[in-house]
Amino acid sequence: MKLWGGRFTKPTNELVDEYTASISFDQKLATYDILGSLAHVNMLASAGIIEADERDTIVDGLKKVDALIKSNKDVLTKENEDIHMNVEKLLIDEIGPVGGKLHTGRSRNDQIALDMRLYLRDQVVTLVELLTTLQTALLNQAKAHTDTILPGYTHLQRAQPVLFAHHLLSYVFMFQRDVERLMDSFKRINKSPLGAGALAGTSFPIDRHFVKDELNFYRITENSLDSVSDRDFVVEFLSDASLIMMHLSRFSEELVQWSSQEFNFIELDDAFCTGSSMMPQKKNPDVPELVRGKTGRVYGHLMGILTTLKGLPLAYNKDMQEDKEGMFDTAETLIGALSLFSPMVETMTVNKEVMYEAVAKDYSNATDLADYLVTKGLPFREAHAVVGEAVLSCIDNHKYLLDLTLAEFKQFSEVIEADIFEVLDPLAVVNARKAHGGTAKQSVEWQFGEAENYLSDTTIWLEKMAELLS
Ligand code: ARG
């Protein structure tokens, strides 16, 4: 007999059981569901709704059910539909009819909202931790490469030289935004919906703040209808996750390019690459490729939840059961990608000479020749035209700007003097860009300081979370 079977005259069609059950996936919430039930039952006793000895029996029973599920997932059945009813059924099997008092003043509708918030709190903290580890790996590589120069690109055409440290730091600040978004989302996740009941609240004299305090929520949700129909926090999580995947995917694309023979700027460690079943020479960057590929499924989950929710009237609708698989898969996909990315970045080797070659055998110092002419009094537009001619002539004669003699330089402009050779040196070109945020070594040093300040703010937040969620 179903927990809700009283009103029915026949058993459920087996296909309906199969179709409507969520236990195959919401069993991931078992521990959170039981945690929520423990808080609820403590509150029921404290509010005088059940007796203290009933509470003790239920608490003991819930702990046994938790251990039982952990040791054997087969105790969960689709006949009992979802994790909430499976736990309740197992509890009643364990302690008898008194187990039936657990669901007093509560509905599965506020219960699932609670479970998902408890689950996402942990995921957000884990992801912030993993992002911080990745930022640290990037910073370590950057610090080892404050003299390594590579071409900076626009349109994937060599544009101006930059420090490799500068390039890596751009990802540190990109991931910083992700960290901040997740930390900010936490305050919207960390509210307790329990007590909203099915939709309208409950007539029992419950104490919602008691449950909030037991579970270390910041606040209680304010409106019962909104409490059971709100999945904005899931949408927000998937949206934050999509941005993280987009960032990882762009970085992946660079790693794939850089490790190609055509670029040969870096080599990923053997431990993070795979081979070909047919071509013995191959070493493939499967990890960044797969991260780039898995970005699609995370975007898909975001579109999925937005579409599931868009036509739903208040309050709970069964459609909302579709909110879970995408959320789980997203958290797992991100944890997988980030866990691999940090050691992969940490262990990659950088082909400093190849990068330098790409800068030296190129025209990426052309802007600096134009800027030089401007310091000698030419309007920038004229300087641009003069340098354009110089570059064209060099291309025709298979030369780079630094191959020109002073006399040849002077053919393009009389104002050019012998100091031009120093000005056009790649390191000088980089170090000329001293303003905050530029690629000069001194600006890169400043960026290290900024990044470290952000990281120590995150560390403080993570310490607070460890205390809150312990
Ligand atoms: N399994 C359900 C879900 O995940 C739990 C809430 C169900 N509530 C209900 N009245 N059927 O959405």
Side-chain angles (χ1 to χ4, degrees):
M1 167 102 163
K2 291 258 158 62
L3 285 177
W4 40 253
R7 184 232 179 276
F8 288 77
T9 54
K10 312 179 170 176
T12 322
N13 181 305
E14 215 177 302
L15 287 175
V16 172
D17 272 344
E18 192 80 53
Y19 194 69
T20 57
S22 54
I23 191 61
S24 63
F25 50 88
D26 69 12
Q27 55 179 271
K28 286 188 201 288
L29 296 172
T31 302
Y32 298 108
D33 195 73
I34 290 169
L35 201 65
S37 287
L38 287 168
H40 181 66
V41 81
N42 284 332
M43 180 278 288
L44 289 177
S46 134
I49 301 167
I50 63 169
E51 299 301 326
D53 61 324
E54 293 173 330
R55 172 199 59 206
D56 295 344
T57 311
I58 295 174
V59 166
D60 273 358
L62 282 170
K63 288 181 180 160
K64 285 193 188 123
V65 170
D66 193 27
L68 189 65
I69 296 174
K70 281 190 177 118
S71 69
N72 181 15
K73 296 274 179 286
D74 293 343
V75 297
L76 303 167
T77 67
K78 67 172 189 304
E79 287 69 31
N80 287 313
E81 204 175 313
D82 56 22
I83 188 60
H84 324 298
M85 291 203 298
N86 268 280
V87 168
E88 189 177 330
K89 184 72 174 32
L90 288 168
L91 178 70
I92 293 169
D93 289 350
E94 195 69 46
I95 63 171
V98 64
K101 295 204 171 192
L102 170 64
H103 210 52
T104 313
R106 186 178 76 170
S107 157
R108 282 185 291 156
N109 296 353
D110 54 352
Q111 199 179 349
I112 186 60
L114 178 84
D115 292 5
M116 291 176 74
R117 287 168 181 272
L118 290 172
Y119 169 83
L120 274 185
R121 284 201 314 201
D122 281 352
Q123 305 312 308
V124 162
V125 170
T126 302
L127 290 176
V128 169
E129 254 161 17
L130 288 170
L131 283 165
T132 305
T133 309
L134 176 55
Q135 287 176 302
T136 307
L138 286 162
L139 272 178
N140 290 342
Q141 275 287 8
K143 283 185 183 153
H145 289 285
T146 55
D147 292 316
T148 305
I149 302 177
L150 82 163
Y153 296 81
T154 62
H155 313 267
L156 202 56
Q157 304 290 321
R158 289 177 190 170
Q160 292 177 346
V162 294
L163 290 182
F164 190 52
H166 189 61
H167 196 115
L168 293 178
L169 277 160
S170 71
Y171 285 104
V172 173
F173 296 110
M174 198 188 287
F175 292 123
Q176 181 58 29
R177 294 193 292 278
D178 294 323
V179 165
E180 288 173 19
R181 263 186 289 272
L182 286 172
M183 294 194 305
D184 191 65
S185 74
F186 192 89
K187 60 177 186 270
R188 284 175 292 281
I189 294 170
N190 202 29
K191 292 173 101 174
S192 174
L194 206 69
L199 75 162
T202 173
S203 56
F204 289 99
I206 60 163
D207 181 353
R208 293 191 58 198
H209 287 97
F210 183 102
V211 172
K212 176 208 92 175
D213 291 337
E214 283 268 295
L215 296 171
N216 299 310
F217 282 108
Y218 291 152
R219 323 171 73 94
I220 59 170
T221 55
E222 302 80 3
N223 176 290
S224 64
L225 289 168
D226 185 41
S227 304
V228 294
S229 68
D230 171 29
R231 292 294 183 272
D232 292 4
F233 61 97
V234 181
V235 176
E236 197 175 341
F237 175 72
L238 297 188
S239 152
D240 294 348
S242 296
L243 279 166
I244 296 170
M245 288 305 289
M246 184 262 279
H247 293 158
L248 287 173
S249 185
R250 293 179 74 169
F251 191 20
S252 292
E253 171 61 16
E254 294 208 307
L255 294 176
V256 170
Q257 281 179 12
W258 287 348
S259 60
S260 70
Q261 260 127 310
E262 283 66 23
F263 273 83
N264 192 27
F265 282 0
I266 60 156
E267 184 173 357
L268 297 176
D269 193 81
D270 275 5
F272 295 91
C273 294
T274 59
S276 156
S277 62
M278 186 191 191
M279 299 166 283
Q281 85 284 9
K282 290 297 292 288
K283 173 173 166 183
N284 297 327
D286 282 27
V287 172
E289 289 175 281
L290 210 45
V291 169
R292 196 176 55 190
K294 282 178 189 285
T295 303
R297 65 198 286 159
V298 174
Y299 289 3
H301 295 319
L302 174 62
M303 288 307 122
I305 182 79
L306 283 168
T307 311
T308 293
L309 294 173
K310 78 176 270 291
L312 299 186
L314 297 181
Y316 177 83
N317 301 270
K318 186 73 170 181
D319 315 45
M320 290 162 73
Q321 185 164 286
E322 287 294 303
D323 59 4
K324 276 171 277 302
E325 285 162 289
M327 175 183 76
F328 294 141
D329 186 65
T330 296
E332 284 158 22
T333 302
L334 260 77
I335 289 170
L338 288 166
S339 304
L340 277 169
F341 244 79
S342 303
M344 186 173 68
V345 166
E346 197 93 55
T347 55
M348 72 184 185
T349 48
V350 177
N351 298 334
K352 206 174 158 168
E353 288 74 30
V354 180
M355 286 183 177
Y356 191 80
E357 253 323 79
V359 169
K361 300 274 151 57
D362 195 53
Y363 302 95
S364 55
N365 49 4
T367 311
D368 295 75
L369 178 54
D371 290 351
Y372 174 89
L373 295 174
V374 169
T375 65
K376 301 281 178 175
L378 265 73
F380 181 76
R381 196 45 60 210
E382 266 170 54
H384 189 289
V386 168
V387 180
E389 279 168 40
V391 168
L392 188 60
S393 145
C394 281
I395 293 171
D396 287 346
N397 297 302
H398 305 285
K399 283 181 176 180
Y400 298 103
L401 289 172
L402 277 176
D403 298 330
L404 297 176
T405 62
L406 185 57
E408 287 169 326
F409 268 121
K410 280 187 178 291
Q411 287 172 4
F412 298 104
S413 172
E414 268 304 318
V415 300
I416 300 177
E417 302 295 343
D419 59 347
I420 192 60
F421 297 101
E422 249 167 69
V423 169
L424 295 186
D425 176 74
L427 191 59
V429 167
V430 163
N431 281 328
R433 286 157 175 78
K434 281 197 267 299
H436 282 130
T439 191
K441 195 163 179 175
Q442 79 182 62
S443 158
V444 163
E445 299 290 350
W446 170 77
Q447 294 179 53
F448 281 137
E450 295 295 294
E452 265 146 24
N453 288 340
Y454 282 131
L455 279 172
S456 62
D457 287 351
T458 312
T459 307
I460 292 168
W461 186 84
L462 283 170
E463 279 162 10
K464 268 205 283 184
M465 290 303 117
E467 215 174 289
L468 185 80
L469 303 181
S470 65

